[in-house]
Amino acid sequence: MILKVYTSFLLLFLVNSVWTRTVRQVYDDLDPGHWSHYTSECPQECFCPPSFPNALYCDNKGLKEIPPIPARIWYLYLQNNQIETISEKPFANATHLRWINLNKNKITNSGIENGVLSKLKRLLYLFLEDNELEEVPAPLPVGLEQLRLARNKISKIPEGVFSHLENLTMLDLHQNSLLDSALQSDTFQGLNNLMQLNIAKNSLKKMPLSIPANTLQLFLDNNSIEVIPENYFSAIPKVTFLRLNYNKLSDDGIPPNGFNVSSILDLQLSHNQLTKIPPINAHLEHLHLDHNKIKSVNGTQMCPVSIALEEDYGYYGNIPRLRYLRLDGNEIQPPIPLDIMICFRLLQAVVI
């Protein structure tokens, strides 16, 4: 299961970052004579690769509005323009769209025509990063799988905006203006298949309410969170990657076994106000505690299982799986305590 999770996110990264770039490089070298078949319906401001007829590249063209989209298009690239509005007219024939990239434009909520997005029935990926949105746009296509809204001015999430997005696996809201009041107990209701939720770089002081139960990755870096509620992670039993770097967590703000959660494999608590290492689970593999106020490390106390039992059962026992430990930026003096190495036999790197 763990291997499948890592593989899924690796494939997602490769698809997003490599595939598109490779396609552009190939089609830029094609004989212009082959393009004649598409020139009649290809917007003159855009590029229509003849061997990739489902894609339309209108990025970096200085466009102020969206051109008419041909019916054959599945993948639409409009990033890095000056577009302010999304109206229904350009999409009149674009009934097969799967992917729209509108990052780095000047789109506001008032510039989005009512219902225009929800009419794109087959849309799976919607990128609206680096625009001027003040709230999550609504309504959205019910089949959406990824929604990226990073680096806007979003301070409001309309009630029920996610309630019908059962296929959504990624929701990125990082670097906006969200307060605790924007995240109600039913805000994420309906996101039954969400895997990644990114609310980093907002203005949260509390852990968000009612995170979808299937969430694997929860990113809350660069907020002002001070307290982890008791049994908070029991409601998200599959959480695997947890990032809480650059918050205001202290020892008093963490319950005795707040992070002793068997599902968590990667725990990041860098740049907080901790003076001691919180209890961890034997399944944890990566622990980031750099740039806190920790003065010493006691491996026997830190060890999630009895060192004596480890000696008795060796590799056949429930030995801790920690492989990476980062403690630099604290007040700890080397060398690394021997009992750390005795407990965590799988350690491959310790930064101190």
Side-chain angles (χ1 to χ4, degrees):
M1 173 59 188
I2 295 172
L3 179 59
K4 290 181 179 179
V5 171
Y6 278 109
T7 304
S8 297
F9 284 104
L10 177 60
L11 289 174
L12 180 64
F13 172 78
L14 291 174
V15 169
N16 287 348
S17 62
V18 178
W19 175 78
T20 300
R21 190 164 55 249
T22 304
V23 168
R24 274 306 285 271
Q25 291 170 349
V26 169
Y27 297 127
D28 282 346
D29 295 332
L30 290 176
D31 182 356
H34 295 165
W35 301 353
S36 58
H37 178 71
Y38 300 100
T39 54
S40 61
E41 58 178 1
C42 182
Q44 63 178 3
E45 311 95 327
C46 306
F47 172 64
C48 298
S51 298
F52 189 42
N54 297 123
L56 179 61
Y57 292 91
C58 308
D59 50 309
N60 297 286
K61 301 295 184 181
L63 300 179
K64 293 186 177 180
E65 59 184 29
I66 299 173
I69 310 303
R72 69 175 190 275
I73 299 303
W74 287 24
Y75 307 100
L76 177 59
Y77 299 90
L78 288 160
Q79 66 270 27
N80 293 300
N81 281 294
Q82 304 293 317
I83 296 169
E84 298 180 358
T85 61
I86 304 177
S87 59
E88 188 173 338
K89 186 177 179 181
F91 299 102
N93 297 318
T95 57
H96 296 283
L97 276 174
R98 264 60 165 188
W99 172 307
I100 298 178
N101 189 334
L102 276 160
N103 291 345
K104 296 187 178 180
N105 278 283
K106 296 184 176 181
I107 298 167
T108 61
N109 288 94
S110 60
I112 302 176
E113 187 174 335
N114 186 37
V116 62
L117 296 175
S118 63
K119 291 178 181 179
L120 302 173
K121 303 294 186 182
R122 300 188 182 184
L123 194 66
L124 302 178
Y125 300 86
L126 178 58
F127 300 168
L128 281 165
E129 298 178 343
D130 295 284
N131 278 279
E132 298 179 12
L133 299 173
E134 295 184 351
E135 61 182 69
V136 175
L140 292 164
V142 296
L144 213 56
E145 294 182 3
Q146 286 193 22
L147 178 59
R148 303 194 186 198
L149 299 170
R151 295 177 299 278
N152 276 275
K153 303 174 183 178
I154 295 172
S155 61
K156 181 181 178 182
I157 301 178
E159 184 177 356
V161 66
F162 303 127
S163 60
H164 300 295
L165 302 187
E166 294 186 359
N167 294 327
L168 199 72
T169 60
M170 174 190 284
L171 176 58
D172 191 346
L173 288 163
H174 89 269
Q175 200 165 333
N176 277 285
S177 303
L178 292 170
L179 301 171
D180 296 316
S181 57
L183 305 180
Q184 300 299 315
S185 59
D186 60 350
T187 295
F188 301 112
Q189 184 175 345
L191 299 179
N192 299 326
N193 289 295
L194 194 70
M195 297 175 65
Q196 183 186 108
L197 178 59
N198 192 341
I199 326 178
K201 294 188 177 182
N202 278 279
S203 300
L204 304 181
K205 294 183 179 180
K206 301 178 181 179
M207 295 292 285
L209 301 171
S210 300
I211 300 297
N214 286 320
T215 302
L216 296 174
Q217 297 185 332
L218 179 59
F219 303 150
L220 292 164
D221 314 75
N222 293 89
N223 280 285
S224 298
I225 297 170
E226 299 179 355
V227 176
I228 306 294
E230 191 85 32
N231 300 318
Y232 181 84
F233 298 105
S234 62
I236 41 176
K238 298 181 180 180
V239 64
T240 305
F241 303 89
L242 178 62
R243 293 197 333 217
L244 279 159
N245 303 319
Y246 291 95
N247 276 283
K248 296 182 179 180
L249 290 171
S250 64
D251 302 326
D252 294 336
I254 300 175
N257 285 295
F259 295 119
N260 187 1
V261 180
S262 61
S263 65
I264 299 178
L265 304 182
D266 190 302
L267 176 60
Q268 300 190 19
L269 297 168
S270 305
H271 293 272
N272 277 280
Q273 300 172 12
L274 303 175
T275 64
K276 59 184 180 182
I277 297 175
I280 60 174
N281 193 272
H283 291 87
L284 188 67
E285 296 183 2
H286 296 84
L287 178 60
H288 298 246
L289 286 165
D290 55 286
H291 297 91
N292 277 275
K293 300 179 180 180
I294 300 170
K295 295 182 179 181
S296 63
V297 180
N298 185 317
T300 303
Q301 293 178 356
M302 179 184 173
C303 194
V305 300
S306 168
I307 292 180
L309 288 177
E310 278 196 78
E311 294 292 337
D312 291 341
Y313 294 103
Y315 277 61
Y316 297 99
N318 185 29
I319 66 170
R321 301 178 187 176
L322 194 67
R323 289 170 167 80
Y324 180 88
L325 175 61
R326 184 171 178 183
L327 291 166
D328 56 302
N330 284 284
E331 301 175 31
I332 304 168
Q333 298 298 320
I336 300 167
L338 179 60
D339 51 2
I340 290 283
M341 309 310 296
I342 294 174
C343 173
F344 301 106
R345 301 183 185 185
L346 302 180
L347 263 177
Q348 297 175 356
V350 180
V351 184
I352 194 169

